[in-house]
Structures are given as C-alpha cells and as structure tokens.
Amino acid sequence: MSASRYAVFGHPVAHSLSPRIHSEFGRQTGIALDYTAIDAAPADFAATLERFVAEGGQGANVTLPLKELAYGLSAHLSERARRAGAVNTLARRDGQWLGENTDGAGLVRDLTERHGLDLRGRRVLLLGAGGAARGVAPALLEAGATEMVIVNRSPTRADALSDVLGEPGRVTTRYWEDLGAQGDFELIVNATAAGRRADDLPLTLPSSLVNSMTAAVDLNYGEAAIAFLAWARAAQCRYAIDGLGMLVEQAAESFELWHGVRPQTDLVYRGLRERDALLVSAD
Ligand code: NDP
C-alpha cells in the first residue's frame, strides 16, 4: 500500500521541522505517510494546493504567511479556526477542505502538561496580533486567563483581534509605548515575528511587567527566540519557555485530526531539543 500524502505549505518553508515531526509520529503509530515541505508564494498557494490534491494530498499544515489564505480556501471551518480567522491545518473531507487551527490547543497543552503551569486566574500580556496571536488568544482565555492585554506594533491589528475575541471587559488593547504603565503579568506571550530577521530590533519591554510568578513564553524557537528569552531571564521571570513544545503539540493535534490517533509527543520533543543546542529552555 502506498503512503498517504501530507505536506506543510509556507514561504519560506525549507527550515520547517514539521516533516521530521510527522514522520516520527507516523513511525511511532505505524501509520505509513509521506510528509513533505512545499514552498508556495501567496499568489501561487491556491493552485499549488489544487495540484497537491490532484496528486493525492489528504491533509496539510499551513504556516507563515499563508494561514489567512488557507482560511479563505476552507469550505468548512472548525469553531477554533473561525474564531482565530486563520487556519494552520487542512483536512480533506468529502472532496473539500476542512480548516482547523491547532496553535492555541498546542500552546495550552505545552504550558499546562509539559511545564505544569496553571493558566487559571492569570493576567496575560499578548505581544503581537498576527495569525499566531489569533490562534492562541481564544485558547488562553478558555484556559482561564482572567484578563488579556494585547499590544501590537500596528495598533489597528490589535484592536481587530480584540473585536474578534468579543470580550470587552476582559480583553483590552494598549500602545507599545504605554507598556510601562500596565502593571505586572503572570503570563507574557511573545507572538510576534520580531527576531526572525537578522536586522530586527529586539522588542523593548520594561521589567515592571514581571512579578514573582511570571512565565514568559516565546512562540518562536531557536535563534528567533534568543533575544526575548534573554530579556525574560534578565528580568527574572520565573519561567522562560520557547515555542518548540508548542510546535510539537500543535503537530500532534493535526496528526490526530488526520489519522484519528494521538501520538506521544515527549520523545519527539526531547529529540528536537537535544538536536540543536540553540533551542533553549530555562524553565
Ligand atoms: P504574522 O506575520 O501573521 O504576524 C507577525 C506578528 O509579528 C505581527 O503581530 C507583527 O506586527 C509582529 N512583528 C513582526 N515583526 C516585528 C518587529 N520587528 N517588531 C515588532 N513586531 C513585529 O506571523 P504569525 O503570527 O503567524 O507568527 C508569529 C511568530 O510565531 C512567527 O515567528 C512564527 O514562527 C511563530 N509561530 C510559532 C508556532 C509554534 O508552533 N511554535 C506556531 C505559529 C507561529 P504588525 O501587525 O505590526 O506587522
């Protein structure tokens, strides 16, 4: 029997760890699958996805900058994807795409199960309002955050995210330059892409954001997470966590949607962590 076809689409995508993660899940569960990385510029994404289907593609992950386009190409949407306005997982259902967003569930599972954090009652600062922030914000609220302050380089995008979340008393937006007047937070999530490009300036954050409980979480991992995690340690955050665990957990959610089996994530996570000394975690 030939292996079923899956892929991650992005632009660029060559460095994605998803092919490795899904191959390991497949080996572990005894499911034969062929999972590749496919580079598609936004203008070519729809046609590339159609070709993938014609060649037997049954499911896809979607990463930067294609998540909102994937949302538009989905005939059906899960509640999580609808709320996020972004899709990171596509599953073939009756000849059409079902769009799902597993980022939020992946982050919450990593923080609560792997790192043992209780998110209930936390005051959350969310930095960023792009696709990843849209994915994780509803999940953090569902996990029990009492209050969420969203700050983004482009303030209108932060306002748009706050509107989608629809909880005006609980979710507010602030300007970056006013961060010093917002008090302290038990959870600070960096969902920006600052740090991915060598010429990005580090985020400027006051240490007054930090209290004795603060967990600082970067959705980035590897080199892109170094600056934020260095700030978190210097500011004496109790936890400084990168996005590698979330990456593995959101992949497991996708895998379960496609194959109906939940893979074990710890071995895969530890393998990736050991593989690259740059992937740092200080919790
Ligand atoms: P988007 O392009 O949708 O959004 C990027 C966000 O970063 C926007 O809020 C943008 O602000 C902000 N931003 C970009 N550059 C800077 C900068 N120099 N200074 C301040 N803010 C900046 O990307 P995503 O939301 O999809 O992804 C964000 C990050 O999260 C990526 O680096 C990605 O790798 C990571 N990620 C990790 C996952 C995991 O599993 N660990 C899953 C998903 C994402 P503005 O609106 O002003 O442009």
Short mmCIF file of all heavy atoms in Angstrom, two decimals, residues 28-68:
data_model
loop_
_atom_site.label_atom_id
_atom_site.label_comp_id
_atom_site.label_asym_id
_atom_site.label_seq_id
_atom_site.Cartn_x
_atom_site.Cartn_y
_atom_site.Cartn_z
N GLN A 28 6.07 5.98 14.92
CA GLN A 28 5.65 5.59 16.27
C GLN A 28 4.28 4.91 16.27
O GLN A 28 4.06 3.95 17.01
CB GLN A 28 5.59 6.90 17.08
CG GLN A 28 5.22 6.79 18.51
CD GLN A 28 4.74 8.17 19.01
OE1 GLN A 28 3.57 8.38 19.23
NE2 GLN A 28 5.65 9.12 19.17
N THR A 29 3.36 5.37 15.42
CA THR A 29 1.99 4.83 15.42
C THR A 29 1.79 3.77 14.34
O THR A 29 0.69 3.22 14.22
CB THR A 29 0.97 5.97 15.17
OG1 THR A 29 1.33 6.65 13.96
CG2 THR A 29 0.95 6.97 16.31
N GLY A 30 2.81 3.52 13.53
CA GLY A 30 2.70 2.51 12.49
C GLY A 30 1.84 2.96 11.31
O GLY A 30 1.29 2.14 10.58
N ILE A 31 1.71 4.28 11.12
CA ILE A 31 0.92 4.81 10.00
C ILE A 31 1.88 5.25 8.89
O ILE A 31 2.76 6.09 9.12
CB ILE A 31 0.04 5.99 10.46
CG1 ILE A 31 -1.01 5.49 11.45
CG2 ILE A 31 -0.61 6.69 9.27
CD1 ILE A 31 -1.81 6.57 12.14
N ALA A 32 1.70 4.65 7.70
CA ALA A 32 2.59 5.00 6.57
C ALA A 32 2.17 6.34 5.99
O ALA A 32 1.02 6.50 5.57
CB ALA A 32 2.50 3.91 5.50
N LEU A 33 3.07 7.31 6.00
CA LEU A 33 2.72 8.60 5.41
C LEU A 33 3.94 9.24 4.77
O LEU A 33 5.07 8.99 5.16
CB LEU A 33 2.11 9.54 6.46
CG LEU A 33 2.91 9.86 7.71
CD1 LEU A 33 3.76 11.10 7.51
CD2 LEU A 33 1.95 10.08 8.88
N ASP A 34 3.63 10.05 3.77
CA ASP A 34 4.67 10.77 3.04
C ASP A 34 4.40 12.25 3.32
O ASP A 34 3.40 12.79 2.87
CB ASP A 34 4.51 10.43 1.56
CG ASP A 34 5.36 11.32 0.67
OD1 ASP A 34 6.31 11.94 1.18
OD2 ASP A 34 5.06 11.40 -0.54
N TYR A 35 5.27 12.90 4.11
CA TYR A 35 5.03 14.29 4.53
C TYR A 35 6.20 15.15 4.06
O TYR A 35 7.34 14.94 4.46
CB TYR A 35 4.90 14.33 6.06
CG TYR A 35 4.45 15.68 6.62
CD1 TYR A 35 3.22 15.82 7.24
CD2 TYR A 35 5.26 16.82 6.53
CE1 TYR A 35 2.80 17.05 7.77
CE2 TYR A 35 4.86 18.04 7.04
CZ TYR A 35 3.63 18.14 7.66
OH TYR A 35 3.23 19.36 8.18
N THR A 36 5.91 16.13 3.22
CA THR A 36 6.98 16.96 2.65
C THR A 36 6.72 18.44 2.96
O THR A 36 5.65 18.80 3.44
CB THR A 36 7.04 16.79 1.12
OG1 THR A 36 5.73 17.03 0.60
CG2 THR A 36 7.48 15.41 0.72
N ALA A 37 7.71 19.27 2.67
CA ALA A 37 7.56 20.73 2.79
C ALA A 37 7.42 21.30 1.38
O ALA A 37 8.23 20.99 0.50
CB ALA A 37 8.77 21.33 3.48
N ILE A 38 6.39 22.11 1.15
CA ILE A 38 6.15 22.68 -0.18
C ILE A 38 6.14 24.20 -0.08
O ILE A 38 5.33 24.78 0.64
CB ILE A 38 4.81 22.18 -0.76
CG1 ILE A 38 4.83 20.64 -0.88
CG2 ILE A 38 4.53 22.83 -2.11
CD1 ILE A 38 3.53 20.03 -1.40
N ASP A 39 7.07 24.82 -0.79
CA ASP A 39 7.14 26.29 -0.79
C ASP A 39 6.12 26.84 -1.78
O ASP A 39 6.09 26.43 -2.93
CB ASP A 39 8.56 26.73 -1.19
CG ASP A 39 8.80 28.18 -0.82
OD1 ASP A 39 8.06 29.05 -1.33
OD2 ASP A 39 9.72 28.45 -0.02
N ALA A 40 5.28 27.75 -1.29
CA ALA A 40 4.29 28.38 -2.18
C ALA A 40 4.18 29.85 -1.80
O ALA A 40 3.84 30.17 -0.66
CB ALA A 40 2.93 27.69 -2.04
N ALA A 41 4.46 30.73 -2.76
CA ALA A 41 4.24 32.16 -2.52
C ALA A 41 2.73 32.37 -2.42
O ALA A 41 1.96 31.60 -3.01
CB ALA A 41 4.82 32.96 -3.67
N PRO A 42 2.29 33.41 -1.70
CA PRO A 42 0.85 33.62 -1.54
C PRO A 42 0.07 33.57 -2.86
O PRO A 42 -0.99 32.95 -2.94
CB PRO A 42 0.77 34.99 -0.87
CG PRO A 42 2.04 35.08 -0.07
CD PRO A 42 3.07 34.37 -0.89
N ALA A 43 0.62 34.19 -3.90
CA ALA A 43 -0.11 34.24 -5.18
C ALA A 43 -0.27 32.86 -5.81
O ALA A 43 -1.17 32.64 -6.63
CB ALA A 43 0.61 35.18 -6.15
N ASP A 44 0.60 31.91 -5.45
CA ASP A 44 0.56 30.57 -6.06
C ASP A 44 -0.10 29.53 -5.16
O ASP A 44 -0.23 28.36 -5.54
CB ASP A 44 1.99 30.07 -6.35
CG ASP A 44 2.76 31.05 -7.21
OD1 ASP A 44 2.11 31.71 -8.04
OD2 ASP A 44 3.99 31.17 -7.02
N PHE A 45 -0.48 29.94 -3.95
CA PHE A 45 -0.88 28.94 -2.96
C PHE A 45 -2.09 28.12 -3.42
O PHE A 45 -2.07 26.88 -3.35
CB PHE A 45 -1.16 29.64 -1.62
CG PHE A 45 -1.61 28.72 -0.53
CD1 PHE A 45 -0.99 27.49 -0.31
CD2 PHE A 45 -2.68 29.07 0.31
CE1 PHE A 45 -1.40 26.63 0.71
CE2 PHE A 45 -3.09 28.22 1.32
CZ PHE A 45 -2.47 27.01 1.51
N ALA A 46 -3.15 28.78 -3.90
CA ALA A 46 -4.37 28.06 -4.27
C ALA A 46 -4.07 27.01 -5.35
O ALA A 46 -4.50 25.86 -5.25
CB ALA A 46 -5.44 29.04 -4.74
N ALA A 47 -3.30 27.40 -6.37
CA ALA A 47 -3.00 26.48 -7.47
C ALA A 47 -2.10 25.34 -7.00
O ALA A 47 -2.29 24.18 -7.38
CB ALA A 47 -2.32 27.24 -8.60
N THR A 48 -1.15 25.67 -6.12
CA THR A 48 -0.24 24.63 -5.62
C THR A 48 -1.01 23.61 -4.77
O THR A 48 -0.76 22.40 -4.84
CB THR A 48 0.88 25.27 -4.77
OG1 THR A 48 1.43 26.36 -5.50
CG2 THR A 48 1.99 24.29 -4.44
N LEU A 49 -1.96 24.12 -4.01
CA LEU A 49 -2.78 23.23 -3.17
C LEU A 49 -3.65 22.33 -4.05
O LEU A 49 -3.82 21.14 -3.76
CB LEU A 49 -3.64 24.10 -2.24
CG LEU A 49 -4.28 23.43 -1.03
CD1 LEU A 49 -3.24 22.81 -0.10
CD2 LEU A 49 -5.12 24.46 -0.25
N GLU A 50 -4.18 22.87 -5.12
CA GLU A 50 -5.01 22.06 -6.05
C GLU A 50 -4.18 20.94 -6.66
O GLU A 50 -4.64 19.81 -6.80
CB GLU A 50 -5.55 22.95 -7.17
CG GLU A 50 -6.97 23.41 -6.89
CD GLU A 50 -7.51 24.27 -8.02
OE1 GLU A 50 -7.26 23.95 -9.21
OE2 GLU A 50 -8.17 25.27 -7.69
N ARG A 51 -2.95 21.28 -7.05
CA ARG A 51 -2.06 20.27 -7.64
C ARG A 51 -1.78 19.16 -6.62
O ARG A 51 -1.77 17.99 -6.93
CB ARG A 51 -0.75 20.93 -8.07
CG ARG A 51 -0.28 20.44 -9.39
CD ARG A 51 0.83 21.23 -10.06
NE ARG A 51 1.66 22.07 -9.24
CZ ARG A 51 1.65 23.39 -9.30
NH1 ARG A 51 0.83 24.02 -10.13
NH2 ARG A 51 2.44 24.11 -8.54
N PHE A 52 -1.57 19.59 -5.39
CA PHE A 52 -1.29 18.65 -4.29
C PHE A 52 -2.47 17.67 -4.14
O PHE A 52 -2.27 16.45 -3.99
CB PHE A 52 -1.08 19.48 -3.02
CG PHE A 52 -0.91 18.71 -1.75
CD1 PHE A 52 0.21 17.91 -1.53
CD2 PHE A 52 -1.87 18.80 -0.74
CE1 PHE A 52 0.36 17.21 -0.33
CE2 PHE A 52 -1.71 18.11 0.45
CZ PHE A 52 -0.60 17.32 0.66
N VAL A 53 -3.70 18.18 -4.21
CA VAL A 53 -4.89 17.32 -4.10
C VAL A 53 -4.93 16.36 -5.29
O VAL A 53 -5.18 15.16 -5.12
CB VAL A 53 -6.18 18.18 -4.05
CG1 VAL A 53 -7.41 17.29 -4.19
CG2 VAL A 53 -6.25 18.99 -2.77
N ALA A 54 -4.67 16.89 -6.48
CA ALA A 54 -4.70 16.05 -7.69
C ALA A 54 -3.69 14.91 -7.59
O ALA A 54 -3.89 13.83 -8.15
CB ALA A 54 -4.42 16.90 -8.92
N GLU A 55 -2.61 15.16 -6.83
CA GLU A 55 -1.57 14.12 -6.67
C GLU A 55 -1.80 13.27 -5.42
O GLU A 55 -0.91 12.57 -4.97
CB GLU A 55 -0.20 14.80 -6.60
CG GLU A 55 0.21 15.41 -7.95
CD GLU A 55 1.36 16.41 -7.83
OE1 GLU A 55 1.92 16.56 -6.72
OE2 GLU A 55 1.68 17.04 -8.85
N GLY A 56 -2.98 13.39 -4.84
CA GLY A 56 -3.34 12.51 -3.71
C GLY A 56 -3.19 13.12 -2.33
O GLY A 56 -3.32 12.42 -1.33
N GLY A 57 -2.94 14.42 -2.26
CA GLY A 57 -2.78 15.07 -0.94
C GLY A 57 -4.04 14.98 -0.10
O GLY A 57 -5.14 15.25 -0.60
N GLN A 58 -3.88 14.58 1.16
CA GLN A 58 -5.06 14.38 2.02
C GLN A 58 -5.12 15.34 3.19
O GLN A 58 -6.16 15.47 3.85
CB GLN A 58 -5.07 12.94 2.54
CG GLN A 58 -5.32 11.96 1.42
CD GLN A 58 -5.15 10.53 1.86
OE1 GLN A 58 -5.34 10.20 3.02
NE2 GLN A 58 -4.78 9.68 0.93
N GLY A 59 -3.99 15.98 3.48
CA GLY A 59 -4.00 16.92 4.59
C GLY A 59 -2.78 17.81 4.52
O GLY A 59 -1.77 17.43 3.92
N ALA A 60 -2.90 19.00 5.11
CA ALA A 60 -1.77 19.93 5.03
C ALA A 60 -1.68 20.78 6.29
O ALA A 60 -2.71 21.09 6.90
CB ALA A 60 -1.92 20.84 3.81
N ASN A 61 -0.47 21.11 6.64
CA ASN A 61 -0.24 22.19 7.60
C ASN A 61 0.09 23.43 6.80
O ASN A 61 0.63 23.35 5.70
CB ASN A 61 0.93 21.86 8.54
CG ASN A 61 0.55 20.83 9.57
OD1 ASN A 61 1.22 19.82 9.72
ND2 ASN A 61 -0.53 21.08 10.28
N VAL A 62 -0.24 24.58 7.39
CA VAL A 62 -0.04 25.84 6.69
C VAL A 62 0.66 26.79 7.65
O VAL A 62 0.25 26.93 8.81
CB VAL A 62 -1.39 26.44 6.27
CG1 VAL A 62 -1.16 27.74 5.51
CG2 VAL A 62 -2.17 25.46 5.41
N THR A 63 1.74 27.39 7.19
CA THR A 63 2.47 28.30 8.06
C THR A 63 2.64 29.64 7.36
O THR A 63 2.05 29.90 6.30
CB THR A 63 3.80 27.63 8.52
OG1 THR A 63 4.42 28.47 9.46
CG2 THR A 63 4.75 27.37 7.37
N LEU A 64 3.42 30.51 7.98
CA LEU A 64 3.65 31.87 7.51
C LEU A 64 3.93 31.94 6.00
O LEU A 64 4.76 31.16 5.55
CB LEU A 64 4.93 32.34 8.22
CG LEU A 64 5.00 33.70 8.86
CD1 LEU A 64 4.28 33.72 10.19
CD2 LEU A 64 6.47 34.03 9.07
N PRO A 65 3.38 32.76 5.22
CA PRO A 65 2.34 33.76 5.51
C PRO A 65 0.99 33.34 4.93
O PRO A 65 0.25 34.17 4.41
CB PRO A 65 2.86 35.00 4.77
CG PRO A 65 3.48 34.40 3.51
CD PRO A 65 3.95 32.99 3.86
N LEU A 66 0.66 32.06 5.01
CA LEU A 66 -0.48 31.53 4.24
C LEU A 66 -1.72 31.20 5.07
O LEU A 66 -2.71 30.70 4.53
CB LEU A 66 -0.02 30.26 3.48
CG LEU A 66 1.23 30.42 2.59
CD1 LEU A 66 1.67 29.08 2.03
CD2 LEU A 66 0.94 31.40 1.45
N LYS A 67 -1.66 31.45 6.39
CA LYS A 67 -2.75 30.95 7.24
C LYS A 67 -4.09 31.62 6.95
O LYS A 67 -5.14 30.99 7.04
CB LYS A 67 -2.40 31.14 8.71
CG LYS A 67 -1.31 30.20 9.18
CD LYS A 67 -1.04 30.39 10.65
CE LYS A 67 0.13 29.53 11.08
NZ LYS A 67 0.46 29.68 12.49
N GLU A 68 -4.06 32.90 6.62
CA GLU A 68 -5.33 33.58 6.34
C GLU A 68 -5.86 33.16 4.97
O GLU A 68 -7.08 33.03 4.77
CB GLU A 68 -5.17 35.10 6.46
CG GLU A 68 -5.13 35.48 7.94
CD GLU A 68 -4.65 36.90 8.20
OE1 GLU A 68 -4.94 37.79 7.38
OE2 GLU A 68 -3.99 37.12 9.25
#
